Amino acid sequence: MANIKGVQTIGNVLLLSVDSDPSASAGTTAPVGSLAIITGGCGIWVKNSALATDWCQCCGSIQAAISASDIDWNITYAYKTLAANTTFTFSNAVDARTIVVAITNTASNYTVTWPTVKWANGVAPTQTIGAFTDIYTFVRINGVVYGSYVQNLS
């Protein structure tokens, strides 16, 4: 059992200061620390400093265009229409997070190169040529990014 020592709200952050309960039975006390609950968009992120754990849940409406070639894992859905051959990078990738990326080619038939990803059969997909969209889904598990895709959507 833990005692909440204080509650503070700063913008979209609720910060709870937690203290262990000395009257609880052995092995059941919560470590001293803080619990931050952060909301933004339609998601929630929880950080527990005492247990050094994070938890993130997004309901899926966070969407953004990829402005250059970096795919930010803080975005749930990202999209880009190619204007040149593109080598993508990932930033802010964390375990247990999934992102969906829609890439639309043009009649110029640009190519795509992905960062290190484990693909089915060990082969990265080739971007569909012509003005079609390919949708890629990425999940990171134990530091490894796994990718799947659906191609040739018009």
Side-chain angles (χ1 to χ4, degrees):
M1 191 72 154
N3 295 319
I4 296 177
K5 295 185 342 180
V7 177
Q8 183 177 11
T9 303
I10 305 169
N12 66 339
V13 178
L14 173 65
L15 180 62
L16 304 173
S17 297
V18 181
D19 194 358
S20 60
D21 181 358
S23 66
S25 60
T28 62
T29 59
V32 174
S34 63
L35 179 70
I37 302 171
I38 304 166
T39 61
C42 69
I44 185 168
W45 180 67
V46 177
K47 179 150 185 81
N48 183 329
S49 69
L51 300 177
T53 59
D54 292 346
W55 178 79
C56 177
Q57 177 64 48
C58 298
C59 67
S61 69
I62 300 171
Q63 175 176 299
I66 302 167
S67 60
S69 61
D70 180 64
I71 299 172
D72 186 346
W73 282 58
N74 286 323
I75 306 300
T76 304
Y77 300 106
Y79 59 90
K80 182 176 185 72
T81 298
L82 297 174
N85 294 333
T86 305
T87 298
F88 287 108
T89 58
F90 290 140
S91 63
N92 301 313
V94 294
D95 283 343
R97 187 169 294 168
T98 300
I99 60 169
V100 176
V101 179
I103 305 295
T104 302
N105 213 337
T106 65
S108 297
N109 298 326
Y110 296 114
T111 62
V112 168
T113 303
W114 294 102
T116 302
V117 174
K118 296 255 184 191
W119 300 100
N121 300 318
V123 179
T126 301
Q127 180 70 32
T128 302
I129 59 172
F132 294 98
T133 299
D134 294 350
I135 298 179
Y136 302 89
T137 303
F138 300 98
V139 62
R140 183 173 154 165
I141 302 169
N142 293 324
V144 177
V145 176
Y146 296 91
S148 62
Y149 54 93
V150 178
Q151 293 187 302
N152 206 27
L153 304 170
S154 58

